[in-house]
Amino acid sequence: MELAYYSDYAVRLVNTEEPTRNKDALTSVEAVRELFGTASQMARRATDADVTRFRSVRSRLRAVFTAADEGDHTHAVDLLNSLLLEFPVSPQISGHDHLDDEGRPRWHMHLADHPSNATAGYAAIAAMGLAFHLTEFGADRLGLCQASPCRNAYLDTSTNRSRRYCSDRCATRANVAAYRARKRLEAERSDPTGLSAENSQESTTPADS
């Protein structure tokens, strides 16, 4: 498993909540287990107590994205460092199930499952993955969707650092909203009275005697 993959753990957890819509999908141990995937040993260790713990880690990870999105990169790093200190990882070299054309292992770095509990294991992997992404690509690659009211987290992997939305759907919605706003502004500028052509004509027609 490539280290870059682990950064998605952070995004998945943060996006279980939509604060502006008062929506929270992290309400059961089943929801916690779904974050790991069905084949994870850590998922099987999850209990009801992990729901509250996961929410706490989620808030701290969202704070990292918020700081980065606001341009306060030093604060984002400080917040992430605190997670790394609290939830350390156990890196290992692995080659299982990854063989080259000659049958030799494709050695790669792997983050071993944390022995404590499901939350600690997930938090360690999410924080380390996010740390690798930040140091490799920059803190400005961590963002929050600009399509109101969505504030989902995303990782910008575009070549020109231009990503502003979490998905194509949000990008389309934002573009449509911007287009309509421009059209309204153009209409207002072309008719400074604020009246439509029809209303303007009615206002200038003499009243019946």
Side-chain angles (χ1 to χ4, degrees):
M1 186 181 295
E2 298 295 333
L3 290 176
Y5 167 81
Y6 290 117
S7 58
D8 288 334
Y9 276 58
V11 174
R12 289 205 301 270
L13 178 53
V14 170
N15 290 346
T16 59
E17 181 185 30
E18 298 181 71
T20 58
R21 293 187 173 117
N22 293 318
K23 292 184 178 181
D24 189 347
L26 197 57
T27 59
S28 66
V29 66
E30 287 76 17
V32 168
R33 288 171 179 158
E34 287 178 3
L35 289 169
F36 291 99
T38 57
S40 173
Q41 292 182 355
M42 283 188 293
R44 291 191 288 271
R45 293 204 301 265
T47 67
D48 290 332
D50 285 299
V51 176
T52 300
R53 290 195 290 254
F54 260 68
R55 287 177 174 176
S56 176
V57 172
R58 179 179 65 187
S59 296
R60 295 171 66 182
L61 285 170
R62 176 171 284 278
V64 175
F65 278 93
T66 299
D69 187 67
E70 294 175 349
D72 194 346
H73 297 168
T74 299
H75 186 45
V77 169
D78 288 342
L79 293 171
L80 189 51
N81 273 336
S82 69
L83 284 164
L84 291 170
L85 288 171
E86 185 174 345
F87 302 105
V89 296
S90 301
Q92 294 179 351
I93 299 174
S94 176
H96 59 81
D97 299 329
H98 292 79
L99 303 179
D100 61 20
D101 294 337
E102 298 179 5
R104 296 174 300 189
R106 294 181 183 273
W107 300 115
H108 59 278
M109 291 299 296
H110 174 81
L111 302 183
D113 288 358
H114 198 282
S116 177
N117 58 61
T119 302
Y122 194 99
I125 289 175
M128 181 57 71
L130 203 56
F132 273 108
H133 191 93
L134 186 150
T135 53
E136 179 71 18
F137 302 107
D140 59 339
R141 293 287 191 152
L142 279 59
L144 294 174
C145 187
Q146 300 301 302
S148 180
C150 180
R151 294 294 284 167
N152 276 352
Y154 65 83
L155 299 171
D156 185 2
T157 56
S158 64
T159 56
N160 57 355
R161 299 174 182 265
S162 61
R163 185 171 179 178
R164 296 293 179 269
Y165 308 104
C166 69
S167 64
D168 291 340
R169 179 181 179 181
C170 277
T172 299
R173 189 171 72 247
N175 289 335
V176 170
Y179 172 79
R180 290 174 176 171
R182 287 196 301 271
K183 286 300 182 181
R184 285 196 299 269
L185 182 60
E186 291 172 1
E188 291 171 358
R189 287 175 175 174
S190 63
D191 183 13
T193 64
L195 299 174
S196 66
E198 181 180 354
N199 289 338
S200 179
Q201 183 177 4
E202 290 177 354
S203 64
T204 56
T205 301
D208 294 335
S209 54

